[in-house]
């Protein structure tokens, strides 16, 4: 059955991957984006099969017009990227909170049957359990640290969604992605940042060895999820998820940052020496989701991280070879 689906932030990294999948499955897709963090190049292979609406997620009229007639709203629009949490926390909060309000109000007014909110694993900060289940406590440990503008905006968005739809017929769901990676994911995340440093350290890939300066000891862990695997999980949630529920999107394969760097060096054919440093305030030492809840909906685990890392490293290697300056706006 074909649905009419609005995806806010649909030209962003995860949003564009979701849009391509929805289009491929025959849905009528509307993308609402202002291009500040996304790019139409990510949708070039499906742009003639989607309705692209340029607009600000904080504009109630633009959001209402885009939502009218839709069966489903996927609200992904947000300012992502650790660099931006520190540099413009006021904008992170403004876009996050106002975007949640405008989309849920439009979904209610337009009698939308399903509303899906993108949250984040950042809300756990330092989890008390690894792997971390969805009922882990959420926390903002220091309101003065600008990094927490992102987690704070996501928590407010969750509260708005849960309580805004509590007494409605709309099937509201929240997903918390964990370290989703892939080609063209932006330049404010760990893999792209390492790629830029390695590119500079090897004089544009001319050397076969490099020293990589990192924050922290490198023993910190993450559980990376290739973007196509994340979309597989999202589609299972969309098809089978229940009203008022929260689902993790990610993989439960925990690796250290040092191991990640070693794998990247192998893909690049570079011998990498790591120079450790002081960890940035507000960072998380371990992150790995419990994905049993999404599996109970019918998701068949298929971890393609190694394949995905190959594609991701190759994309950034080629991009940095062709371009002197990274695209910080995406």
């Amino acid at each position: 059955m074909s649905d009419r689906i609005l995806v806010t932030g649909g030209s962003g990294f995860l949003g564009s991957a979701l849009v391509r999948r929805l289009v491929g499955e025959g849905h009528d897709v509307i993308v609402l984006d202002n291009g500040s963090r996304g790019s139409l190049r990510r949708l070039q292979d499906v742009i003639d099969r989607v309705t692209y609406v340029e607009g600000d997620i904080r504009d109630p009229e633009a959001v209402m017009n885009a939502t009218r007639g839709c069966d489903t709203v996927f609200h992904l629009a947000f300012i992502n990227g650790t660099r931006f949490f520190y540099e413009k926390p006021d904008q992170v909060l403004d876009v996050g909170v106002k975007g949640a309000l405008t989309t849920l109000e439009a979904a209610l007014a337009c009698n939308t049957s399903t509303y899906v909110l993108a949250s984040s694993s950042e809300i756990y900060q330092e989890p008390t359990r690894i792997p971390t289940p969805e009922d882990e406590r959420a926390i903002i440990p220091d309101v003065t640290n600008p990094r927490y503008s992102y987690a704070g905006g996501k928590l407010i968005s969750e509260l708005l969604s849960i309580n805004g739809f509590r007494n409605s017929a709309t099937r509201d769901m929240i997903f918390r992605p964990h370290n989703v990676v892939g080609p063209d994911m932006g330049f404010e995340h760990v893999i792209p940042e390492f790629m830029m440093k390695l590119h500079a350290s090897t004089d544009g890939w001319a050397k076969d060895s490099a020293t990589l300066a990192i924050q922290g000891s490198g023993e910190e862990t993450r559980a990376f999820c290739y973007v196509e695997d994340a979309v597989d999980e999202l589609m299972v949630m969309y098809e089978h998820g229940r009203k008022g529920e929260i689902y993790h999107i990610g993989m439960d394969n925990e690796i250290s940052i040092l191991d990640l760097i070693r794998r990247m060096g192998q893909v690049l054919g570079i011998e990498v020496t790591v120079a450790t440093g002081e960890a940035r305030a507000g960072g998380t030492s371990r992150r790995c989701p419990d994905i049993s809840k999404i599996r109970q909906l019918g998701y068949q685990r298929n971890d393609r991280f190694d394949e995905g890392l190959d594609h991701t490293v190759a994309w950034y290697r080629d991009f940095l070879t062709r371009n002197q300056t990274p695209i910080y706006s995406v």
Side-chain angles (χ1 to χ4, degrees), residues 157-173:
S157 298
E158 287 198 14
L159 289 168
L160 288 168
S161 177
I162 290 167
N163 294 291
F165 291 108
R166 189 180 296 276
N167 298 314
S168 75
T170 301
R171 180 181 60 132
D172 58 295
M173 297 179 290

Side-chain angles (χ1 to χ4, degrees), residues 16 25 49 63 91 104 108 112 134 149 179 188 254 276:
S16 61
E25 296 196 3
R49 291 185 283 165
V63 174
Q91 291 185 42
L104 79 85
L108 287 169
T112 303
E134 286 87 348
S149 58
N179 292 96
E188 306 83 24
E254 189 179 10
T276 60

Side-chain angles (χ1 to χ4, degrees), residues 250-262:
M251 284 296 151
D252 50 4
N253 186 14
E254 189 179 10
I255 65 169
S256 72
I257 297 301
L258 289 175
D259 191 30
L260 171 68
I261 293 168
R262 179 186 61 79

Side-chain angles (χ1 to χ4, degrees), residues 283-297:
T284 303
S285 63
R286 293 181 71 187
R287 183 177 294 149
C288 179
D290 182 338
I291 60 171
S292 59
K293 194 171 178 180
I294 196 74
R295 295 186 71 176
Q296 288 167 8
L297 293 183

